[in-house]
Structure formats: C-alpha cells, structure tokens
Amino acid sequence: KAGVTQTPRYLIKTRGQQVTLSCSPISGHRSVSWYQQTPGQGLQFLFEYFSETQRNKGNFPGRFSGRQFSNSRSEMNVSTLELGDSALYLCASSEEANYGYTFGSGTRLTVV
Amino acid sequence: DQQVKQNSPSLSVQEGRISILNCDYTNSMFDYFLWYKKYPAEGPTFLISISSIKDKNEDGRFTVFLNKSAKHLSLHIVPSQPGDSAVYFCAASAGNNDMRFGAGTRLTVKP
C-alpha cells in the first residue's frame, strides 16, 4: 500500500509569509500527527488529528495551525514565518492513536 | 521506503522484568540512532541515543545496544516499570541528513 505522502518535499519562503503543508495518510488511517524536527530541538510534537478533530496540541504558538479533512488528509499552516521555523516537518499516520505509526518523508521548509 | 523497521508492533512484560525493544535498519550509512518514547495524548520525547562509533550506551535503567554488522539496535529497560508503558520509536540518520523513524512498538508493563 502507498505510504504517507507529504507535499511539497522542499519549500523556501521569506520571513513574514505563510505556508501550507499537506499530508496524505495511508488509506484507512484516521489519525494524523505533525512534528517539527530541527538539529537543536530534535523532534517536537505539533498536533494530532483524528477523524477531523484536533485531539492533542503541542507547545507551539498560534501561528501554527492545522486541520484534517473528511478523507483524513491533513494540512498544517504556519503564518508570519520566522527564520526559526526552518525545519523538517514530519507527518505520521496510524489507524488508531498510539499504535503503528508510519512517517512520511517530510517537508523541508527553509525561511530566508 | 522503510529504512528503519520495528517488526514488533506491541510487547507486554511483567513489572520488574527486562523489556527488549528491537529495531532493524537497511541503510549502512546511518551513523546516529535514537529512541523516543511516546505516551498517549502526548508527543514523543527523546529517551536515549547512540552513535555508530559505540556499541552500547547506558542511562539508568535504559541501555541501547548497536550491532552494526547486523544493522540492528535494541533498547533494554531493566527493571521494567508500569510507567514505562508507552510507544517507543527507533530513529536513525546519516550525517546531517533527515532522520528516519520506525513504526513504533507499544510496550505494556503489567504490575
């Protein structure tokens, strides 16, 4: 079966702009989680969606938001980009929360 | 491409016994390995890491073993405690390249 698909793979934005990243989970998976990965901070949890509802949220400012659609595809949006937002953004999907995660390859965001 | 594999989706052990979580990888260029722990309703937190120049790293009850020839690493928890019940992710990276994650193993430690 197809894996978790994240688009785009690479993105360059300037400070102050906004960006939308997309994640298509494995068919049948209803849980989608988003993570930010940076060399200094490691892996940090952004939020988790299940059946279109945000169930959990990490400790990120309100500039970071997300949503999940009825087909389980998810998007995350970052507004008013800052240089420190440059990171690899990973999406993971699972049939149920806390079990059997599959990670996507990530979107590499560079803010200049 | 599943470069990092955790073939056991779940593991159940008795409190006080040893928990052994396994991870296999395919990319021989991986030189840094980490384990993350994730409780329900929370994001993953870093647990322990090992670089390819070592074959063992210990931190309290947690020890990670690396077998480069077998492309295998394992996390040992001794003694296991009920609070260790969580999902454990194995991750690997090559140089400054992106990290690859396994699917996770859900550990249940029974009192």
Side-chain angles (χ1 to χ4, degrees), chain A residues 9-10 33 35 37 41-45 48 56-57 88 90 96-106 108, chain B residues 1-2 9-10 36 38-46 86-87 89 96-104 106:
Chain A
R9 286 284 284 124
Y10 301 93
S33 306
Y35 303 87
Q37 185 181 316
Q41 301 292 326
L43 192 68
Q44 295 189 88
F45 172 68
E48 181 205 352
N56 301 301
K57 192 175 189 300
L88 180 71
L90 289 166
E96 55 179 276
N98 214 41
Y99 190 81
Y101 291 88
T102 300
F103 282 83
S105 297
R108 170 70 64 185
Chain B
D1 58 341
Q2 282 286 86
S10 62
Y36 283 87
K38 182 186 181 301
Y39 289 117
E42 295 180 14
T45 56
F46 169 75
V87 174
F89 290 107
N96 290 326
N97 291 332
D98 298 337
M99 196 154 287
R100 297 285 181 236
F101 289 86
R106 182 164 65 184

